Amino acid sequence: MAFRIYCGALATDGRRYNHRALVVDKGRIIAWEPYDPARLTAIEPPDVDARAYVALPGMIDLHLHGGFGRDMMEGDPEAIRAVAQRLVQYGVTAFLVTPLTAPWDAIRNCIRAAREARTDGSTGARVLGCHLEGPFINPKRAGAQPPEYIRPPSVQELETELGDLISELRIVTLAPELEGGLELTQYLAQQGIIVSIGHSDATYEQTLRAIDCGARHATHTFNAMRPFQHRDPSLAGAVLLRDELNAEVIWDNLHTHPAAAQLLVKAKGAERVICVSDGTTGVGMPDGYAFELWGHRAVVQNGAARMVETGGLAGSAITMDACLRNSAETLGLEIASLLCAANPARALGYGDELGTLRPGAHADLILWNPDAQRIEQTYIEGVLQNSNLETAGIITPATN
Ligand SMILES: [Zn+2]
């Protein structure tokens, strides 16, 4: 049955529209209807009264290792489902399972679990496939990736080790400057898998060669990459300058200074920057919570995930709603939503289906409370997933 969500405003594709009712039917947004707030009195179920809120497309996290005490590398579909069910609370409606540098059998188990979670019709945020981060990275820029499992780039090794699991890969982070890196870049690009340059020490020139071979994405820009210098603009400079590359950024004001994130948006335009969480098992866990990154101990400290041995950042402990809040502070909510929803959707080729509220898209959306600066409700396929409002008695669970 069709129902309407009466929104105070909706923001999509970088613009804001006041007083619109989203008409949802069979899991899709089928129309917008303007309404006159002075004339609208009672809103009856199954319609939803969201006049105090801004509707935004659900967020899509392209880089997520785990959360809420669960690790995608457990290789257990149940771990992925558990994360997917919690993510909706933070406004994430789709994500990529992100295996990291580890022994091949662990990577295989993680991808197999992701395949199962993607296809079993379970609830929570959608699993869109995998972002394989490593093992073909540069040991010089390993960051928190366990160095003992780093491998030289090799098409043959990837094919032998992953076989038909390659079809689950949507993004592969690799270091193209290593021997075999360009060949692997070309091979993945030909299969329609996005090559993301990351954990890389590539110079500017090496980055251009990787772009020529099909690289189109950069992993957590500025982190674990050769930094910009004026005589050595390097990978970071190429990310800033070259339109071919979409740029991930961890906008937690910790991995990236807000001014550096703003510089990235200014250089690339708001259409080519993508907020990612890089969240680990420590996401949503209290300070002092200890976990492992494939054999290396990490702990949540002041809201950050840090390696115990080195004190370095070990991925993050943040959620996408924080990325939205932080980027909105600089860019405004409409543009921040591009970075968190529209741009990741478009990068994966879902520009008309996800990350937008245009009629025809899936009804994956969030209701943002502009006063409290938080997400009050999340819908996937038009079905309410999570609500902070139940206690207020305002809300009607919508069904299709
Ligand atoms: Zn990562």
Side-chain angles (χ1 to χ4, degrees), residues 63-65 98-100 131 133 145 173 199 219-220 248 250 277-280 314-316:
H63 192 143
L64 181 69
H65 300 286
T98 306
L100 43 70
H131 174 170
E133 189 180 22
Q145 301 273 327
T173 291
H199 291 278
T219 300
H220 40 52
E248 289 183 1
I250 308 171
S277 72
D278 199 8
T280 58
S316 90

Side-chain angles (χ1 to χ4, degrees), residues 63 131 133 171-174 196-199 217-225 246-249 276:
H63 192 143
H131 174 170
E133 189 180 22
I171 302 179
V172 173
T173 291
L174 59 82
S196 187
I197 310 175
H199 291 278
H217 197 93
T219 300
H220 40 52
T221 303
F222 304 126
N223 293 111
M225 69 168 59
N246 285 320
E248 289 183 1
V249 62
V276 296

Side-chain angles (χ1 to χ4, degrees), residues 237-260:
V239 174
L240 286 165
L241 191 60
R242 296 303 297 244
D243 288 349
E244 294 92 333
L245 298 175
N246 285 320
E248 289 183 1
V249 62
I250 308 171
W251 204 317
D252 60 354
N253 297 345
L254 188 68
H255 282 79
T256 317
H257 191 286

Side-chain angles (χ1 to χ4, degrees), residues 63-291:
H63 192 143
L64 181 69
H65 300 286
F68 320 103
R70 301 304 296 263
D71 188 339
M72 309 286 187
M73 294 301 284
E74 287 173 49
D76 180 354
E78 197 40 50
I80 297 171
R81 285 185 207 114
V83 172
Q85 279 160 10
R86 292 289 301 277
L87 283 174
V88 293
Q89 193 182 333
Y90 302 93
V92 174
T93 52
F95 66 103
L96 292 182
V97 171
T98 306
L100 43 70
T101 301
W104 279 113
D105 61 340
I107 292 174
R108 272 194 299 274
N109 289 340
C110 177
I111 299 173
R112 248 185 235 119
R115 174 180 277 173
E116 198 175 321
R118 180 176 68 74
T119 53
D120 69 358
S122 55
T123 57
R126 300 169 192 271
V127 176
L128 298 176
C130 294
H131 174 170
L132 176 61
E133 189 180 22
F136 305 121
I137 57 175
N138 194 322
K140 265 167 108 174
R141 302 282 174 190
Q145 301 273 327
E148 60 272 36
Y149 302 115
I150 291 176
R151 307 282 308 143
S154 161
V155 172
Q156 201 202 337
E157 183 166 329
L158 183 78
E159 282 192 328
T160 311
E161 297 293 346
L162 293 190
D164 78 314
L165 291 173
I166 290 177
S167 66
E168 291 298 310
L169 304 181
R170 309 301 305 273
I171 302 179
V172 173
T173 291
L174 59 82
E177 72 278 14
L178 302 173
E179 201 184 327
L182 292 179
E183 195 197 340
L184 184 58
T185 298
Q186 223 156 17
Y187 166 86
L188 291 167
Q190 277 163 7
Q191 319 241 345
I193 297 167
I194 299 167
V195 173
S196 187
I197 310 175
H199 291 278
S200 158
D201 199 46
T203 63
Y204 183 77
E205 290 72 19
Q206 287 169 328
T207 306
L208 295 194
R209 283 197 282 281
I211 291 171
D212 283 343
C213 290
R216 290 294 176 265
H217 197 93
T219 300
H220 40 52
T221 303
F222 304 126
N223 293 111
M225 69 168 59
R226 189 181 178 93
F228 174 82
Q229 286 181 342
H230 64 291
R231 288 192 199 89
D232 176 19
S234 68
L235 168 55
V239 174
L240 286 165
L241 191 60
R242 296 303 297 244
D243 288 349
E244 294 92 333
L245 298 175
N246 285 320
E248 289 183 1
V249 62
I250 308 171
W251 204 317
D252 60 354
N253 297 345
L254 188 68
H255 282 79
T256 317
H257 191 286
Q262 191 181 358
L263 174 65
L264 181 67
V265 173
K266 198 162 187 174
K268 296 199 68 63
E271 312 275 314
R272 292 191 183 85
V273 180
I274 295 172
C275 281
V276 296
S277 72
D278 199 8
T280 58
T281 310
V283 169
M285 303 305 279
D287 267 7
Y289 175 79
F291 61 102

